[in-house]
Amino acid sequence: MYCEDCHVVYESDRCPICGSRRGREAESDDFCLLTEKDIIWGGMLEDVLKQNGVPYYTKRLWGAGMSIKMGYLLENVSFYVPASQLRQAQDLVDELFSDKEFDETEEIESE
């Protein structure tokens, strides 16, 4: 299902963000919330999405005026991608921000 208010794709009977039951099937051109990241990680994610040809748009939480006042590095960015490419984009996010720990012994052995 797709919530038109929150732009979220979900599998339950309610939107996980607003609780609405008015969801509908997502259409391929619906822009869906992918993730929200701070400005530093957001820049990295933008680069990865561009390199992989995934169209996206971003929305900053505060906007320019508040960012200047509060501090640019505290800003959060929401990423939206077309429903048709949501799976590919989610795979990229999962790969980029995985919780796997780096094993230095593997790198040393491969050299």
Side-chain angles (χ1 to χ4, degrees):
M1 300 300 289
Y2 175 75
C3 178
E4 292 181 350
D5 296 329
C6 302
H7 305 283
V8 174
V9 174
Y10 58 94
E11 295 183 11
S12 63
D13 62 338
R14 290 178 175 237
C15 171
I17 295 176
C18 70
S20 173
R21 292 181 184 239
R22 295 178 290 139
R24 62 169 173 79
E25 290 295 319
E27 297 176 13
S28 64
D29 62 343
D30 286 329
F31 270 79
C32 305
L33 178 65
L34 173 63
T35 189
E36 185 177 293
K37 296 291 179 191
D38 65 38
I39 197 75
I40 301 296
W41 292 114
M44 185 182 297
L45 179 55
E46 279 190 84
D47 189 44
V48 168
L49 292 173
K50 283 179 191 175
Q51 289 177 10
N52 286 278
V54 177
Y56 68 93
Y57 78 88
T58 60
K59 181 178 177 185
R60 294 185 181 215
L61 180 65
W62 296 338
M66 195 64 160
S67 289
I68 291 170
K69 212 170 211 186
M70 299 294 293
Y72 181 70
L73 295 177
L74 297 175
E75 177 73 280
N76 281 341
V77 181
S78 296
F79 286 82
Y80 298 85
V81 297
S84 61
Q85 294 187 297
L86 183 59
R87 176 66 57 202
Q88 177 190 2
Q90 189 61 56
D91 289 345
L92 292 169
V93 168
D94 292 345
E95 184 178 327
L96 186 60
F97 300 107
S98 69
D99 290 332
K100 295 177 184 175
E101 290 187 27
F102 180 72
D103 186 359
E104 292 180 16
T105 58
E106 288 181 19
E107 183 177 295
I108 293 169
E109 290 172 4
S110 65
E111 291 179 354

